[in-house]
Amino acid sequence: KSGLDPGGAWHAWGMACLKAGNLTAAREKFNRCLKPPMDLNQLNHGSRLVQDVIQYLESTVKPVLITDDDYFATLRELEATLRTRSLSLEMMWEGKIQHNSYYQECLFYLHSYSTNLAIISFYMRHDCMREALLHLLNKESPSEVFIEGIFIPSYKSGKLHMLENLLETIDPGLESWGVYLIAACKYLQRKNYYHILYELQQFMKDHVRAAMTCIRFFTHGAKSYTELGGKQMWLLKIKDHLKVYLQEVSRSSGRKKMAFTFRKKMSATDVSRHINTVDLQMEVTKFLHQCESSGTSQMTDSSLPTLFGNNNMKMDVACKVILEGKNIEEGFGIAFRVLQDFQLEATEVYSKVAKQLVKQQKYSEIQQLLKCVNESGVAAKNDGDNIILNCLNEFKNIPAEDLDNLIQDMDSDENKIQAYVMCNKLRSAYLVSVRQEKARAVQLVQHVRQLAESSGDHVVKAICAQWL
């Protein structure tokens, strides 16, 4: 008469029937106020009303099924009710919980009025992981339901191995679980749970991704190559994963093509290249670890470069290796292989090293660097000259004698003139200019005269004018 929503009354009446143990009557009352959700895959546990019903059923003792309206149980029935323990404890170890009438009643309400997540969570709460997984597969629920309902509860309760065993039992190839396993990996990565991620990737036999996780274990948080020296076992594990992957690929190519839909694929060429990178990184690690231990290490960069970074980082590794040995020659061989293997811009690296040597005032080592570059066999004609020209920006700090020695080491007279001009040594530039072939000498001396005029060097200007 008052136009109020009768839902609350029906719910209260249904709860009263439940508490009285009349399950049939309760179903009929709840049918008038409970509705199934629009989307069974939404990430919640259904309406508050359904949750109240489930909560009560799970917490109560096993009732006596009453089929008529006789609410007066016999003494024997009452005794049986009191003897029975709560649902969460009843005969779990025998796996007979499914026969509990309240368990069946929970499932009735969950299937009729609740979400897939609620059903799966119910199974998980009562140690029925297999049923939870089969329900997930049967309903083709999205990966979020797997993460929330099965995966998170499993690893939090230390049952990850049990979950893995069940996944394998249901589908030995794991193909049905591919989408869910990849989603679990992404979730673990977002959360930075790399140890669980690595364990899961090994279970998935996803060797390429497992190798990538090992790279992270090797590089993450290391502040020095001494630290990286203690983490070399991860480099060995990367190689192991990549080698196993290569074996699997070669085995499957002979037979009918294997379906590796969710495992990361990589060409055999790329895998071999990565194995080579790992070998080189091991060599770099041993060398720099040794340098740091013996105290020859000079550079104190905040970031620690490895060969697993981009090309700029690889170039930093090459520079670090050349600079941190007892002398330039000691690390040059390893650095040269890094430059060759990754096809890096060698002149840029050598110029960077030369500038660093100028800062460290090791001028004789620049000459040693040039000797190594020329003897490498792949240096272009002007590489050595360009290295010197690039580091002459710092010429104000280079003592005159060392500066002259560096410029004298240059091959091309044209480059020597350019170097003398850069350092404002116009008289020296003039002396080299006049040695050139006549027509070119005239151009060069005219250029030196103009520079002398603009810089106010009247002596050099007069010499140039007289020669011309």
Side-chain angles (χ1 to χ4, degrees), residues 228-239:
L228 286 184
K231 296 167 90 174
Q232 286 187 79
M233 59 163 185
W234 290 114
L235 293 176
L236 295 170
K237 287 191 176 181
I238 297 168
K239 273 183 76 172

Side-chain angles (χ1 to χ4, degrees), residues 68-88:
D68 53 25
D69 288 335
D70 177 17
Y71 289 101
F72 299 99
T74 62
L75 275 174
R76 195 183 301 113
E77 286 170 336
L78 191 57
E79 246 175 46
T81 304
L82 292 171
R83 260 203 321 271
T84 309
R85 278 169 290 184
S86 71
L87 171 65
S88 57

Side-chain angles (χ1 to χ4, degrees), residues 37 39-47 50-51 54 58 107 110-111 113-125 131-133 135-136 139-153:
D39 176 14
L40 291 175
N41 287 319
Q42 58 196 41
L43 289 180
N44 59 42
H45 290 265
S47 69
V50 179
Q51 288 181 51
I54 302 302
E58 282 188 300
L107 287 178
L110 287 167
H111 281 285
Y113 308 111
S114 202
T115 61
N116 285 325
L117 179 60
I119 296 167
I120 285 167
S121 298
F122 174 79
Y123 281 133
M124 291 296 287
R125 277 198 303 279
E131 285 74 8
L133 288 167
H135 182 83
L136 180 87
K139 299 295 178 186
E140 296 179 351
S141 293
S143 49
E144 292 81 6
V145 174
F146 171 73
I147 301 291
E148 288 292 320
I150 299 175
F151 187 71
I152 295 175

Side-chain angles (χ1 to χ4, degrees), residues 316-327:
D316 288 344
V317 171
C319 290
K320 196 172 174 67
V321 168
I322 294 174
L323 287 163
E324 295 208 3
K326 287 197 287 287
N327 52 48

